[in-house]
Amino acid sequence: MSRRRWYSGLVVISKTSTRTLGALRDHRLGAFIPFVMYLLIGSALLWVINTVAPLAPFVYSLF
């Protein structure tokens, strides 16, 4: 049974976003690339906020 590496999710996400941007370029839809990048960055930011949010009660109790 083979195990996946800890970074395999990051590899999949980066390859998917690269392929998506490449497909937009190939189909002459390059004008949408900034919008797609905005969505990708926004989703990464929301993921970080969602990851940190459960730690808030522990951080607030320190002050």
Side-chain angles (χ1 to χ4, degrees):
M1 183 165 112
S2 65
R3 292 185 160 261
R4 284 192 264 173
R5 306 273 184 188
W6 64 269
Y7 56 85
S8 63
L10 298 173
V11 171
V12 169
I13 291 171
S14 66
K15 283 186 178 183
T16 301
S17 60
T18 304
R19 283 177 155 180
T20 302
L21 296 176
L24 287 173
R25 245 184 252 112
D26 291 343
H27 291 286
R28 292 189 218 142
L29 296 171
F32 291 115
I33 290 177
F35 178 68
V36 172
M37 290 299 294
Y38 174 74
L39 289 176
L40 289 172
I41 292 170
S43 66
L45 178 66
L46 288 174
W47 178 78
V48 168
I49 291 171
N50 192 28
T51 303
V52 174
L55 300 175
F58 302 109
V59 174
Y60 290 145
S61 64
L62 295 175
F63 296 106

